[in-house]
Amino acid sequence: MRVTQIIAGAEYGGAETFFIRLVIALHRAGINQQVFIRHHPERADILRLNGLKPIEAKFGGALDFKTPRLLEREVRKFSPDIVLSWMNRASNMAPVGDFLRVGRLGGYYDLKYYKKCDHLIGNTENITEYLVGEGWPAEKVHYLPNFVTQAAASSTPRQAFFTPETVPL
């Protein structure tokens, strides 16, 4: 299995955090991946430290002609089975080809950015309902929540919030 993952991504965010965890987990599971990210040194370093070779691009606005050409050229060379694009900009810039196109949404986005996708993933059940309600065939809409860490955390003393022990937080 060969998978290309594309995220333009903000500096910080839930999708960006989950992207890192998912890409690393798939790499550890032996999935051959090609990974594109917006220029972000810390994110690129984390991926490299975990054995991946991210390709960084500008992912600019309407006048960014370089990023779509880079994506087209590199994806064609990699020849993936699946291209998974994360959110609007990456989905809009992702190339078409002889592979399955999947868009991942973490919100109620304008679906004009996902016209080239074969399937859509929503990270909440309500988002998947929205996608079907907007006309996507139910059999091409999938629910995949963001994984959360299960690390136990100690409770914070109520005094830190100036809250008496008898008052609920």
Side-chain angles (χ1 to χ4, degrees), residues 70-139:
L70 171 70
L71 292 170
E72 176 76 34
R73 182 181 66 244
E74 295 302 319
V75 168
R76 190 177 323 113
K77 280 195 277 187
F78 184 67
S79 189
D81 300 298
I82 299 170
V83 170
L84 174 57
S85 54
W86 293 64
M87 299 174 295
N88 294 350
R89 191 165 298 200
S91 295
N92 194 43
M93 289 186 171
V96 294
D98 190 23
F99 45 77
L100 191 65
R101 280 280 316 270
V102 180
R104 181 169 175 82
L105 296 86
Y108 302 91
Y109 305 143
D110 187 336
L111 298 185
K112 69 182 181 183
Y113 301 107
Y114 302 88
K115 290 178 186 175
K116 298 182 280 184
C117 292
D118 300 303
H119 290 261
L120 296 179
I121 295 171
N123 70 358
T124 70
E125 290 176 349
N126 284 344
I127 291 171
T128 61
E129 290 169 10
Y130 162 77
L131 298 173
V132 172
E134 289 295 307
W136 275 84
E139 67 275 7

Side-chain angles (χ1 to χ4, degrees), residues 57-70:
K58 183 177 180 180
F59 286 97
L63 298 178
D64 177 7
F65 300 108
K66 289 183 179 183
T67 300
R69 285 195 302 252
L70 171 70

Side-chain angles (χ1 to χ4, degrees), residues 23-78:
V23 166
I24 291 169
L26 291 174
H27 176 70
R28 289 180 182 157
I31 303 295
N32 188 2
Q33 295 176 93
Q34 176 185 53
V35 179
F36 291 92
I37 63 173
R38 180 179 279 172
H39 293 297
H40 191 284
E42 294 86 7
R43 189 171 294 137
D45 287 346
I46 291 168
L47 293 169
R48 284 188 199 98
L49 286 170
N50 283 278
L52 293 143
K53 297 176 184 175
I55 300 169
E56 294 182 75
K58 183 177 180 180
F59 286 97
L63 298 178
D64 177 7
F65 300 108
K66 289 183 179 183
T67 300
R69 285 195 302 252
L70 171 70
L71 292 170
E72 176 76 34
R73 182 181 66 244
E74 295 302 319
V75 168
R76 190 177 323 113
K77 280 195 277 187
F78 184 67

